[in-house]
């Protein structure tokens, strides 16, 4: 059986085991900052049921 792999990441990107604690902390912080950057844009995003947006939250301009 061939295991599926994430084609977007290199072998080095996937090798978290060999990072130092400082390097791992830096990557987690970078991921957190990137994830938080879109909070205002996706505050009403809703992916369960038949709706794609929470009707009580106004959509951002351009959506």
């Amino acid at each position: 059986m061939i295991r599926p792999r994430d084609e977007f990441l290199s072998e080095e990107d996937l090798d978290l085991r060999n990072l130092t604690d400082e390097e791992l902390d830096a990557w987690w912080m970078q991921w957190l900052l990137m994830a938080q950057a879109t909070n205002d844009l996706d505050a009403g995003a809703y992916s369960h049921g038949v709706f794609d947006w929470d009707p009580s939250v106004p959509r951002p301009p351009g959506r």
Side-chain angles (χ1 to χ4, degrees):
M1 179 176 160
I2 298 173
R3 288 182 49 206
R5 87 180 220 79
D6 193 336
E7 297 297 328
F8 296 106
L9 298 175
S10 69
E11 291 295 324
E12 292 82 20
D13 292 333
L14 296 170
D15 191 17
L16 298 177
R17 185 175 301 159
N18 289 320
L19 292 178
T20 65
D21 288 342
E22 292 79 20
E23 290 171 326
L24 188 58
D25 288 345
W27 278 113
W28 276 112
M29 183 57 69
Q30 180 64 33
W31 172 85
L32 178 63
L33 292 173
M34 289 172 31
Q36 295 298 314
T38 62
N39 278 353
D40 292 342
L41 299 175
D42 58 12
Y46 186 77
S47 62
H48 302 287
V50 297
F51 300 105
D52 66 349
W53 196 262
D54 179 350
S56 68
V57 178
R59 286 185 184 262
R63 266 197 80 134

